[in-house]
Each structure stands twice: as structure tokens, then as C-alpha cells.
């Protein structure tokens, strides 16, 4: 008898994130046992993740769990897990829009969705947030295409575009666009806007923390005082909106905003203990909703309240672009459909092996 178990796995990059894509049916139903397996797969807790396939970086310590949906009009259920690197924690409260980019291709590769010659639409239910998403995957000859000429900032190589539309992102975790009931709150002497669209995010002015907002993600990761100060406010807001103690949870996220040079707005997004080298798709949607809402911290740097068009975010490695359709009631957003185009790539397929002793 082998002292390891093997689990079928697709190892994929989705947008600017990376990780294993697993079938729910290949994992234990018991959540405690499932989380032990995910920790073992990624090699956590260990800052190097040397004994697993994690990349010792939050954007490379993510897992997508897929299953065929029984819901009418939905093809696939997507359950995201953020695996903490240095602690034995698996957080399934947030979602990840970059890993979501790989869900359509992975669902076709694993036979959950039948490909159509040309392009295939995959309708996805995000289990973490309840959001419904549509993806258009290029499938010439009935197979997923990966090697195209479409470029995105934050990834060195080009790929085949995957179009994605978020159909219902307002109040993803709290059912409210402004969970505190305020567009601006003041905590520990700092003003902030907590907004919930696709992902709850706390937005701050960069200058309120003594930084410009032009810093690289590496520079900001060295600024522990900044991270700690934002973290204290994040934890207090978590209590105020009923999330309880979020000190070990990755939501709400935090972000700094500042005046753009050439995009719609400039921002630095934290996950929340380190700065993203790009920008999460869910975080991008939230920033767009915050910027399109009058009276928020973000609206101080942005003043286009049109209900259709594009929105560009300057981040440490370039610009991310969203397309938008917004329904306003007066000055308030009541519905938001956001779309973007990214690409994904299948890196490896096979089995990932886990020591049985890790499950005890």
C-alpha cells in the first residue's frame, strides 16, 4: 500500500494568479479533511511552501474547486480557497476573479462542459459570493485554445483571450454596496470607504499614510507600519459589519487610491497583508463601483458618472481595463454588470500527491 494519496489536478494560471484546479468529487466531503488536503497540496504552513505546489506568494497560493451545477442556466459551480502560506488556514470567504478566468477552460478540460467548435460559453456560479458569471472561451475544433497574441499586464507571455462578465456583483458578501451605511467612515483618525461589489474592499487615500501611491508593490511590502495601520482599521470595520474577528481572514481587502497619470484612477491593492503586483479582478470591480459612486474616497480622484464605457486602473505592473454597464437610481448604483478580458493557460495536468499522515 502506498503511504500517499493521489488527486487528479490541473495546474493553471488564471489571469495573474496560479494554482491547482480540482474537482469537488475528488475531495473529502468533510470540510476539515478537505482543508487538510488543500494545505498539504500547497505545502502550508511554510513560508517557502517547499513541500507542495504553492508559490510562496498569495497570488500563487490559491485553489479552484469545480463541480457540475444542478442549477438551471448554470453550468459549473466554482468554489475558491485562499490557502494561507505561513499558517494552517484555508479561507473560503472571499473569491478570486483571476482564478475564475481559468474556470471556463478547466471545466471544458475536465468534461464538465462540452466544447463547441469556435467558442464556448460557460455560465458559472461563484459559491463563495453567490455571483453569476459568464465566460466565453475560444474553442476552435472543440478544444481550448491557449496560445494566442492577446496581452495582459502582469503576465510576460500572450495568450488566447477569455471574455468574462460579472452579472450581479453588488453586495457580494454583505448584500449592501456600503456595508456600514456610510460612504466615508473615520477610524483611528483615518478616513476610508468600505465598498462591497464583487469583493468587500476598504479604500484609503495614499497620502493619508505618508505614501504617494506611485510606489511599487515591493516597496509597499517593506512598509510594515503601513500594512499594520491599515490592518487595524480593517479589523475594526470587520467587527462593525458583522464579520467578527477578521484578523485571520483575507476579507475585507484594503487598497490605496491616488490621482492617475493616464488611467481612470491609480491604486495599490493589498491581499491584505501584502501588496498585489497587479490588481484582482474582483477588487477592480469594487474600485470601479466605489469610483462611480459620488461621495466616496475614490470619487475624489474620478468624476465620470456615465452608465456605460470603460474603466482603467493604474497598478504596479501596468493597467487593468474593465467594461461596465451601470443602472443608477438618482446618484446611487442599483445594478452593475462588469466585464473584462484576460487569458489563462494550462501548465500541467496529472495527479498531485499528498501524504496520508497529513490527514490525521
Amino acid at each position: 500500500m502506498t503511504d500517499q494519496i493521489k488527486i487528479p489536478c490541473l495546474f493553471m494560471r488564471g489571469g495573474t494568479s496560479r494554482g491547482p484546479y480540482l474537482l469537488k468529487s475528488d475531495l473529502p466531503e468533510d470540510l476539515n479533511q478537505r482543508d487538510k488536503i488543500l494545505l498539504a497540496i500547497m505545502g502550508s504552513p511554510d513560508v517557502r511552501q517547499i513541500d507542495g505546489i504553492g508559490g510562496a506568494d498569495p497570488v500563487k497560493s490559491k485553489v479552484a474547486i469545480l463541480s457540475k451545477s444542478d442549477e438551471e442556466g448554470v453550468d459549473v459551480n466554482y468554489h475558491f480557497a485562499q490557502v494561507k502560506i505561513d499558517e494552517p488556514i484555508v479561507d473560503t470567504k472571499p473569491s478570486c476573479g483571476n482564478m475564475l478566468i481559468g474556470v471556463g477552460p478547466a471545466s471544458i478540460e475536465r468534461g464538465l462542459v462540452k466544447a463547441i467548435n469556435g467558442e464556448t460559453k460557460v455560465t458559472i456560479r461563484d459559491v463563495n459570493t453567490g455571483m453569476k458569471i459568464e465566460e466565453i472561451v475560444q474553442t476552435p475544433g472543440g478544444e481550448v485554445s491557449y496560445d494566442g497574441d492577446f496581452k495582459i499586464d502582469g503576465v510576460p507571455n500572450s495568450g488566447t483571450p477569455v471574455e468574462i462578465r460579472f452579472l450581479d456583483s453588488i453586495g457580494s458578501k454583505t448584500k449592501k454596496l456600503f456595508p456600514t451605511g456610510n460612504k466615508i467612515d473615520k477610524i483611528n483618525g483615518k478616513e476610508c470607504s468600505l465598498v462591497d461589489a464583487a469583493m468587500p474592499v476598504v479604500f484609503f487615500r495614499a497620502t493619508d499614510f505618508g505614501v504617494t501611491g506611485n510606489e511599487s508593490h515591493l516597496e509597499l511590502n517593506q512598509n510594515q507600519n503601513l500594512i499594520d495601520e491599515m490592518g487595524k482599521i480593517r479589523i475594526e470595520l470587520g467587527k462593525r459589519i458583522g464579520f467578527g474577528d477578521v484578523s485571520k481572514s483575507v476579507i475585507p481587502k484594503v487598497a490605496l487610491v491616488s490621482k492617475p497619470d493616464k488611467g481612470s484612477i491609480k491604486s495599490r491593492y493589498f491581499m491584505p497583508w501584502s501588496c498585489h503586483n497587479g490588481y484582482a479582478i474582483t477588487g477592480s470591480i469594487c474600485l470601479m463601483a466605489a469610483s462611480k459612486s459620488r461621495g466616496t474616497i475614490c470619487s475624489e480622484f474620478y468624476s465620470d458618472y456615465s452608465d456605460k464605457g470603460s474603466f482603467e486602473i493604474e497598478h504596479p505592473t501596468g493597467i487593468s481595463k474593465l467594461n461596465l454597464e451601470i443602472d443608477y437610481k438618482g446618484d446611487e448604483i442599483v445594478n452593475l454588470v462588469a466585464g473584462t478580458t484576460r487569458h489563462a493557460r494550462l501548465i500541467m495536468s496529472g495527479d498531485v500527491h499528498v501524504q496520508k499522515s497529513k490527514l490525521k
Side-chain angles (χ1 to χ4, degrees):
M1 291 180 63
T2 178
D3 56 3
Q4 295 200 113
I5 60 172
K6 63 180 183 179
I7 301 167
C9 172
L10 298 180
F11 192 66
M12 300 185 69
R13 176 188 53 74
T16 54
S17 294
R18 190 186 75 187
Y21 288 67
L22 310 169
L23 292 182
K24 181 180 178 181
S25 57
D26 290 328
L27 297 170
E29 290 186 9
D30 180 82
L31 298 185
N32 184 55
Q33 289 293 101
R34 180 205 66 185
D35 288 354
K36 286 182 178 181
I37 282 182
L38 297 185
L39 288 163
I41 286 173
M42 303 308 283
S44 294
D46 170 35
V47 293
R48 302 171 301 159
Q49 292 185 318
I50 194 67
D51 205 29
I53 61 175
D57 184 314
V59 299
K60 294 176 282 187
S61 191
K62 301 184 174 190
V63 180
I65 302 170
L66 311 181
S67 59
K68 194 166 183 63
S69 177
D70 295 327
E71 181 184 352
E72 186 176 354
V74 176
D75 299 309
V76 178
N77 291 327
Y78 159 58
H79 202 176
F80 168 71
Q82 180 76 54
V83 179
K84 197 89 186 314
I85 295 169
D86 56 350
E87 294 182 82
I89 295 173
V90 176
D91 194 349
T92 57
K93 290 186 287 296
S95 186
C96 176
N98 277 296
M99 289 291 282
L100 179 59
I101 297 295
V103 171
S107 298
I108 295 169
E109 296 282 3
R110 296 306 304 267
L112 300 177
V113 175
K114 182 175 175 58
I116 298 171
N117 184 22
E119 61 181 31
T120 303
K121 183 173 80 170
V122 181
T123 306
I124 302 158
R125 179 66 70 187
D126 187 315
V127 175
N128 306 66
T129 65
M131 288 188 295
K132 187 177 179 181
I133 303 106
E134 290 180 350
E135 283 190 22
I136 304 297
V137 182
Q138 299 305 306
T139 50
E143 294 186 351
V144 179
S145 171
Y146 296 104
D147 194 3
D149 57 8
F150 182 72
K151 289 281 293 180
I152 60 173
D153 288 335
V155 179
N157 300 318
S158 60
T160 300
V162 176
E163 296 176 38
I164 185 169
R165 295 178 77 237
F166 291 78
L167 304 180
D168 48 2
S169 60
I170 298 296
S172 63
K173 298 297 289 188
T174 65
K175 309 305 180 186
K176 298 177 181 177
L177 184 59
F178 300 103
T180 68
N182 305 316
K183 292 185 177 180
I184 294 181
D185 290 284
K186 191 170 186 178
I187 299 173
N188 297 349
K190 296 288 193 294
E191 289 188 328
C192 59
S193 294
L194 173 56
V195 183
D196 182 6
M199 172 70 65
V201 183
V202 186
F203 295 102
F204 301 98
R205 301 180 193 92
T207 53
D208 286 351
F209 291 88
V211 295
T212 64
N214 296 316
E215 292 84 0
S216 71
H217 65 290
L218 296 175
E219 287 179 277
L220 293 172
N221 285 338
Q222 298 300 313
N223 192 338
Q224 195 60 49
N225 287 336
L226 165 69
I227 293 171
D228 290 345
E229 197 170 356
M230 290 193 298
K232 290 174 183 176
I233 297 170
R234 186 183 80 88
I235 290 169
E236 174 60 28
L237 281 167
K239 294 175 183 175
R240 292 189 185 187
I241 63 173
F243 282 7
D245 182 5
V246 299
S247 59
K248 301 291 185 181
S249 173
V250 298
I251 60 169
K253 303 293 177 71
V254 294
L256 301 173
V257 291
S258 56
K259 185 178 178 180
D261 293 320
K262 53 186 176 180
S264 302
I265 195 168
K266 185 180 294 183
S267 185
R268 300 295 186 257
Y269 182 80
F270 292 75
M271 302 176 289
W273 301 287
S274 62
C275 184
H276 202 301
N277 68 338
Y279 221 93
I281 294 176
T282 48
S284 300
I285 294 170
C286 191
L287 176 57
M288 179 176 69
S291 301
K292 288 279 185 179
S293 298
R294 298 176 192 271
T296 65
I297 293 292
C298 303
S299 70
E300 296 175 12
F301 304 95
Y302 181 82
S303 58
D304 179 0
Y305 298 103
S306 57
D307 58 3
K308 291 183 180 179
S310 62
F311 184 82
E312 295 184 341
I313 302 168
E314 294 179 40
H315 54 70
T317 51
I319 291 180
S320 293
K321 183 177 180 179
L322 294 172
N323 299 313
L324 62 98
E325 298 174 28
I326 293 177
D327 292 332
Y328 286 101
K329 186 176 182 180
D331 289 338
E332 305 302 318
I333 296 174
V334 294
N335 189 44
L336 167 65
V337 175
T340 189
T341 304
R342 299 284 177 99
H343 55 71
R345 190 172 78 84
L346 176 60
I347 297 171
M348 184 208 74
S349 61
D351 298 314
V352 61
H353 294 254
V354 172
Q355 293 170 295
K356 288 181 178 177
S357 61
K358 293 291 185 181
L359 307 183
K360 295 179 181 178

